[in-house]
Amino acid sequence: MSVVAATRGLSRAVWILIIARAVNKIGAFTLPFLGVVLAVEFKASLSEVGVILAVFGAATIPSRLLGGQLADRLGRRRTIVLGLAGCAVAQLWIALSHALWSAVLATVLLGLAFEIYEPPSQAMIADVTEPEDRPAAYGLYSAALAAAGVLAGLLAAAISHWDLRWLFVADAITCLSCATMVRLALPADAGEDRQSTRNTSGGVLPWRDGRLLLLLVSGTVFATIYMQLVIGLPLTLLEQGLPKSGTGSILAVSAVTLIAAQRLLKLKNLDDFRSIAIGYVLLAAGLLVSALAHTVLVFVLAAVLWSLGDLFLLTRYLTQASGLAPESARGRYLAIFGLSWGIATTIAPLTVTQLLKTSGPTGLWLTSAVVAAVLAVLQPWFRKRLA
């Protein structure tokens, strides 16, 4: 039940893209430190930091839409390289800034470039894989990014003992390394070679596809639960008086689970809707255990359950979104679906803090578990409208 066995048969392009994105993810540890750098290095007040980070978050929404447009018109490979190069320029600009106004402009540029490479990366995977292999491909993609994220945290802890600006230099280097690997190792894709595809893609109007909008709503609910775990888990441990280091251990177990359980994505007789239903049941179980947990060990058990759920949900939602799209508009479809994460990142901090304030950790995770269970039950309804 190895990862290799579960992903045997995936094309060389998928492996190259996944390795390149993992290299980039290893360096992507600057975002959590951006507010600290603005406050410490540029003497921004707490309220100024909040406004600047909010502007950064808002800029990532058109960034993803731009990535989808460019992926369909300019080509997947060129768009990935352009997005990564933009991130590198912005981060080097932050590192070299000597005034707050300069750092703010660089932060806005970073937001505008931050999501450009995501839609073409997801679209390229769909382009070079058969529909039945896409869950395994997207699963490996998610697992590689999760594992690289854990390593990124360790590197951030080491580099942060120096000047925090070096974090942005290191991240810029990994962005350029990833861009170089993609440019040299990946073949030109259809979007670069076929002018006719670019000419005909303009007639497709993703925003008028009711199936895509329904999938966007469903995906946003899942993404909000996912982001609640990211934001709420450290706060829950703090509320319970558990060690802060427990969050790192729990997230590491989550990443290992995503990698070790890849074989589950190859189970026969599981289409997208059955897999999503199973994913929500596992997610609800993990959230229920989290609601009852009072030790790090029990939270680790909960993490195994909700990570297994995430494995099904992360992969199958992408499979559904790519399956809805005509090939000529796949980048834009995936970009629109990807807005679920931007919306969730805005909503989750509010829901987490309000539920913790009114009903504590138990209320937060029980409410989330109920929502996940309802979505599991609703999958036959979604099947009728999306299949």
Side-chain angles (χ1 to χ4, degrees):
M1 292 190 177
S2 65
V3 174
V4 173
T7 55
R8 187 179 291 121
L10 295 183
S11 73
R12 175 175 174 270
V14 172
W15 285 99
I16 292 171
L17 181 60
I18 287 171
I19 292 170
R21 288 287 285 112
V23 169
N24 178 48
K25 182 69 173 182
I26 289 173
F29 41 62
T30 55
L31 192 56
F33 291 90
L34 181 56
V36 178
V37 169
L38 291 169
V40 174
E41 302 291 337
F42 299 102
K43 310 304 180 186
S45 67
L46 188 59
S47 59
E48 288 174 332
V49 169
V51 171
I52 295 168
L53 293 181
V55 171
F56 167 84
T60 63
I61 295 177
S63 171
R64 185 176 282 267
L65 292 175
L66 177 61
Q69 287 284 345
L70 293 176
D72 290 336
R73 300 180 184 278
L74 188 64
R76 321 298 197 213
R77 185 180 66 172
R78 288 176 181 169
T79 304
I80 294 170
V81 171
L82 178 65
L84 290 167
C87 286
V89 169
Q91 291 181 101
L92 288 175
W93 185 355
I94 292 173
L96 296 173
S97 292
H98 294 287
L100 179 59
W101 66 265
S102 179
V104 170
L105 291 178
T107 299
V108 173
L109 175 62
L110 181 60
L112 291 172
F114 198 72
E115 296 283 353
I116 287 177
Y117 55 73
E118 201 64 64
S121 298
Q122 295 169 353
M124 180 176 281
I125 290 175
D127 291 343
V128 300
T129 55
E130 296 298 325
E132 62 270 16
D133 293 326
R134 285 175 192 164
Y138 285 128
L140 183 62
Y141 182 79
S142 300
L145 294 184
V150 174
L151 183 56
L154 298 176
L155 288 174
I159 297 176
S160 61
H161 291 298
W162 306 335
D163 189 325
L164 289 175
R165 293 172 190 252
W166 282 106
L167 292 169
F168 293 88
V169 175
D171 200 355
I173 291 171
T174 60
C175 283
L176 293 175
S177 300
C178 178
T180 302
M181 190 182 304
V182 168
R183 181 64 183 84
L184 297 179
L186 285 178
D189 58 84
E192 292 180 39
D193 288 340
R194 293 187 307 190
Q195 185 68 34
S196 60
T197 295
R198 291 197 294 270
N199 290 340
T200 59
S201 65
V204 179
L205 300 173
W207 285 108
R208 294 188 180 181
D209 189 334
R211 300 169 305 156
L212 176 61
L213 299 182
L214 180 60
L215 192 64
L216 172 60
V217 172
S218 176
T220 298
V221 177
F222 162 63
T224 301
I225 295 175
Y226 186 99
M227 292 307 300
Q228 284 184 164
L229 281 164
V230 172
I231 297 167
L233 184 62
L235 296 175
T236 296
L237 296 186
L238 186 64
E239 283 280 321
Q240 304 260 5
L242 298 173
K244 297 177 183 177
S245 59
T247 299
S249 302
I250 294 167
L251 294 180
V253 168
S254 175
V256 170
T257 302
L258 285 173
I259 296 169
Q262 290 292 305
R263 184 76 173 188
L264 294 176
L265 297 175
K266 300 290 284 187
L267 290 175
K268 295 181 179 180
N269 301 321
L270 285 181
D271 62 11
D272 288 341
F273 298 97
R274 289 193 183 96
S275 295
I276 288 175
I278 291 171
Y280 275 122
V281 168
L282 289 167
L283 178 58
L287 292 166
L288 180 60
V289 174
S290 297
L292 303 174
H294 295 283
T295 67
V296 172
L297 184 60
V298 178
F299 277 110
V300 167
L301 172 61
V304 171
L305 290 170
W306 51 254
S307 297
L308 288 172
D310 289 344
L311 176 68
F312 284 103
L313 295 165
L314 288 166
T315 56
R316 294 293 182 162
Y317 267 125
L318 284 172
T319 302
Q320 284 189 329
S322 62
L324 288 178
E327 183 180 351
S328 63
R330 191 170 281 151
R332 282 172 287 160
Y333 267 68
L334 287 166
I336 290 171
F337 175 72
L339 293 178
S340 57
W341 292 97
I343 298 169
T345 303
T346 304
I347 295 173
L350 302 176
T351 57
V352 166
T353 51
Q354 287 302 308
L355 285 170
L356 282 176
K357 182 179 178 180
T358 58
S359 54
T362 300
L364 168 62
W365 303 123
L366 278 179
T367 302
S368 302
V370 169
V371 173
V374 169
L375 281 169
V377 173
L378 285 177
Q379 286 313 301
W381 182 84
F382 280 103
R383 181 191 295 276
K384 290 180 182 180
R385 284 152 182 81
L386 295 177

